[in-house]
Amino acid sequence: ITQHLPDSFIPVFAKQMEMAAGRPAALADEGIELKRGHIVIAPGHGHMVVRKSGGRYVTGLAYHPVKSGCMPSVDPMFESLAEAFDGRVAAVLLSGMGRDGTEGAQLIARTGGMLYAQNAETCAVWGMPRAVTEMGLVAAASPPEELAEKVLASVGAEAWA
């Protein structure tokens, strides 16, 4: 997860995600392994990136400026996921201001991945989802509770208990 929040609030957000999902949540750092059933969240002071390392997928941090000006930004996360997983990625953009995520979404789409976006009716701010939807990059634009079902259906999986 990459969320545009101040660095000081990210640990609180991680705890909220952990409680809401009933799954462990950790802040991304160098070498944090992506594991089934675990949540990894970008820290507020850096972009979360993912790379393949010794047969595992691990996070790293990047600090370079991005076009959107966001820190952390969705673009480096999406771009690195598309590269690490050779395009076998399903990504979701939820409510948010601006166009952060569009460049990474384009790479996901170009490499064969799937992108899903929250629809306008359920967004607090339909900026980021609007940008990728209007670019024609999304497989579906729906309320969040339907997006999870669409992502699972696209990979032939069933919802977890």
Side-chain angles (χ1 to χ4, degrees), residues 43-138:
H45 64 276
H47 312 298
M48 176 170 52
V49 294
V50 176
R51 65 182 178 279
K52 192 170 184 178
S53 175
R56 302 177 317 141
Y57 295 95
V58 297
T59 65
L61 298 178
Y63 304 96
H64 61 280
V66 295
K67 189 184 280 187
S68 69
C70 295
M71 179 65 81
S73 169
V74 177
D75 281 318
M77 180 181 71
F78 278 3
E79 291 164 355
S80 67
L81 285 167
E83 292 168 5
F85 286 92
D86 297 320
R88 294 183 315 271
V89 175
V92 178
L93 257 177
L94 300 175
S95 181
M97 189 180 316
R99 297 180 52 83
D100 185 30
T102 57
E103 291 185 13
Q106 289 176 67
L107 183 58
I108 287 173
R110 271 197 315 273
T111 57
M114 301 290 285
L115 191 74
Y116 299 86
Q118 187 172 356
N119 65 347
E121 297 78 21
T122 62
C123 279
V125 179
W126 197 52
M128 293 166 57
R130 177 182 186 167
V132 295
T133 300
E134 290 181 348
M135 292 173 82
L137 300 175
V138 300

Side-chain angles (χ1 to χ4, degrees), residues 8 18 21 23 28 56 67 87 92 127 141 147:
S8 62
E18 193 171 72
R23 298 175 178 285
R56 302 177 317 141
K67 189 184 280 187
V92 178
L147 289 175

Side-chain angles (χ1 to χ4, degrees), residues 6-20:
D7 193 32
S8 62
F9 190 71
I10 296 290
V12 174
F13 176 69
K15 276 291 179 209
Q16 289 173 332
M17 290 293 96
E18 193 171 72
M19 290 171 48

